[in-house]
Amino acid sequence: MHTHVTFSWRAFVKPLLAAAGLAMIMPSNASAQDLLKRVKNAVQSEVERQVEQEARDAARCALNGSNCRPNGTGQQSASGGGEGGGGGGGKGDHPLITPYQGSVLEREDRQDFTDYNRVIGMDQKRQAVVQRVEGRLTKLLYRNPEGRSTLELERNYKSALAARGFRIDYDKGGIVHWMGDIRKYNGMTAYGQDVRYFTGKLKYNNGTAYVSILVYREGSGFGRTNIHVLETADMDVGMVGVDPSAMAADLERDGQINLQGIYFDTGNYALKPESDPALDNVEALMRLQPQLRLTIIGHTDSTGDPRRNRRLSLDRATSVRNSLISRGVAPDRLSVVGMGSEQPIATNSTADGRANNRRVMLVRQ
């Protein structure tokens, strides 16, 4: 197999020409010739170094697959900023995140609308706990600059994102024991022993951006950074209902949460399919906290017969319990109560008030 190496001479011709011009105006011919000779030697040395680097990169890309972009023809990140934010500029970069200076984009995958399994934790069996989110997905894979540790790369990405209001939901280093599970769920590339991962979210373009970053380094020193960004179309309403980490925080603070994203038809206790994301995240919460036990309390508005409303609220709470059990939650960790319309949190004289009163609460036992 022959590898074609592309190389730009322009950057090295300029200093050579400048030195030649300087030599013409120097008073000492010997000094001028000496300067010109030194510049030529320096340029030749740099050219040889760059050609050797290009050959190594091209060979590595050939081994890694057709999507890999050698340094000479790919999206080499431009210099800019300091250690943390400098880099990027390649057309494949995501506008939210500037890659670390010296990183090279090797692979990208973009989908206008799809679902994505965001890894938000690890259960007692060392299996990934995931949150399913939907929206515009960008997956980027960068080759790390030489001589940079995973800790340095990770901290710089965190700092840059924090400046934009990023909130970390899950942060884990030394995840070699379950990185294969990460690949299964979200397709991140991860090899070697030095692996760091974090995920979180921030407000972005009138919506929410979920960002997951995994940095790894192999024993040979070679490494990559995975950057996955899932953008929702609209600002998430009731983040407690879609985010296990926020649910856990509210339970810890208040002992209960109003579970958003649970849907029933009027007068019916069968869960609608659009309730699945909220239920998936309750199941994820239960896996993250294996000692947690919950009471599921159903509430209705005051429309109709009070006895029928109490029964309907109990049936709805039972539907939520059964759905969680079908997802793997142990039955003895869940109990149900139906309150009917006895505990309103808003007026029943308006449509909005009645909608607020129809709810499902999760209460820590």
Side-chain angles (χ1 to χ4, degrees):
M1 178 182 68
H2 297 284
T3 301
H4 175 66
V5 177
T6 61
F7 184 74
S8 174
W9 295 82
R10 184 174 300 172
F12 304 106
V13 171
K14 285 185 178 180
L16 183 60
L17 292 176
L22 182 61
M24 294 176 64
I25 63 173
M26 291 187 68
S28 170
N29 185 59
S31 298
Q33 293 300 320
D34 181 63
L35 173 62
L36 187 59
K37 181 178 179 180
R38 282 183 293 174
V39 170
K40 285 182 178 179
N41 290 339
V43 170
Q44 182 178 357
S45 176
E46 178 64 19
V47 168
E48 291 174 351
R49 188 189 71 80
Q50 289 287 337
V51 169
E52 182 181 1
Q53 180 64 46
E54 293 289 346
R56 288 199 303 267
D57 291 343
R60 180 178 291 159
C61 285
L63 291 173
N64 287 337
S66 59
N67 287 332
C68 180
R69 300 176 181 177
N71 199 22
T73 59
Q75 299 299 328
Q76 172 70 37
S77 35
S79 63
E83 291 291 324
K91 66 181 181 180
D93 301 335
H94 192 283
L96 179 61
I97 305 173
T98 301
Y100 192 98
Q101 186 172 349
S103 300
V104 180
L105 181 61
E106 292 187 337
R107 187 167 66 241
E108 58 184 288
D109 179 21
R110 302 172 188 273
Q111 299 181 59
D112 287 337
F113 187 82
T114 187
D115 58 350
Y116 175 74
N117 290 320
R118 187 170 75 115
V119 176
I120 57 171
M122 180 171 59
D123 64 17
Q124 287 187 315
K125 296 181 179 179
R126 305 191 69 83
Q127 298 297 303
V129 177
V130 301
Q131 174 194 15
R132 190 181 67 185
V133 288
E134 296 180 346
R136 181 193 301 272
L137 178 62
T138 302
K139 293 182 176 181
L140 303 173
L141 181 66
Y142 292 93
R143 182 171 73 248
N144 296 337
E146 294 184 5
R148 300 301 185 188
S149 69
T150 60
L151 178 60
E152 181 179 5
L153 292 167
E154 179 196 48
R155 283 185 175 174
N156 277 273
Y157 280 116
K158 285 180 178 178
S159 296
L161 286 165
R164 304 193 63 161
F166 182 72
R167 188 182 78 188
I168 292 178
D169 296 326
Y170 182 68
D171 186 0
K172 183 71 174 178
I175 57 173
V176 64
H177 296 296
W178 61 286
M179 63 189 183
D181 211 23
I182 284 185
R183 288 198 298 270
K184 180 177 72 175
Y185 281 108
N186 62 19
M188 283 188 165
T189 300
Y191 299 99
Q193 301 295 315
D194 189 2
V195 185
R196 299 175 184 273
Y197 171 84
F198 68 93
T199 185
K201 59 182 174 293
L202 72 162
K203 296 179 180 179
Y204 182 69
N205 283 348
N206 297 319
T208 301
Y210 295 90
V211 180
S212 301
I213 294 181
L214 183 148
V215 185
Y216 76 87
R217 182 177 182 271
E218 297 177 7
S220 62
F222 177 74
R224 291 189 177 97
T225 295
N226 300 258
I227 298 178
H228 291 184
V229 181
L230 190 289
E231 305 167 50
T232 63
D234 300 306
M235 182 60 61
D236 288 336
V237 177
M239 294 298 290
V240 170
V242 297
D243 189 336
S245 61
M247 294 169 68
D250 274 43
L251 278 173
E252 183 67 25
R253 184 184 65 246
D254 302 327
Q256 64 179 7
I257 57 173
N258 186 346
L259 181 59
Q260 304 290 327
I262 298 297
Y263 301 98
F264 304 95
D265 285 327
T266 300
N268 200 311
Y269 59 85
L271 285 160
K272 300 181 72 171
E274 48 265 47
S275 304
D276 283 345
L279 294 166
D280 288 342
N281 288 301
V282 176
E283 183 273 333
L285 171 67
M286 299 296 282
R287 275 208 285 159
L288 284 169
Q289 299 190 11
Q291 305 304 316
L292 178 62
R293 295 173 180 268
L294 294 175
T295 298
I296 305 166
I297 305 178
H299 297 267
T300 69
D301 60 33
S302 62
T303 304
D305 180 70
R307 287 181 298 179
R308 185 177 182 278
N309 284 338
R310 179 181 287 272
R311 182 65 198 181
L312 178 62
S313 65
L314 179 63
D315 288 342
R316 286 179 171 178
T318 301
S319 292
V320 171
R321 178 178 185 268
N322 290 341
S323 182
L324 293 174
I325 291 172
S326 72
R327 286 167 163 76
V329 179
D332 61 357
R333 299 176 62 192
L334 302 168
S335 60
V336 296
V337 174
M339 295 301 300
S341 59
E342 293 180 11
Q343 295 181 349
I345 57 174
T347 178
N348 279 299
S349 61
T350 66
D352 287 344
R354 291 190 293 273
N356 288 328
N357 288 331
R358 297 189 297 270
R359 66 196 187 278
V360 174
M361 303 292 296
L362 301 181
V363 179
R364 180 191 294 273
Q365 295 181 13

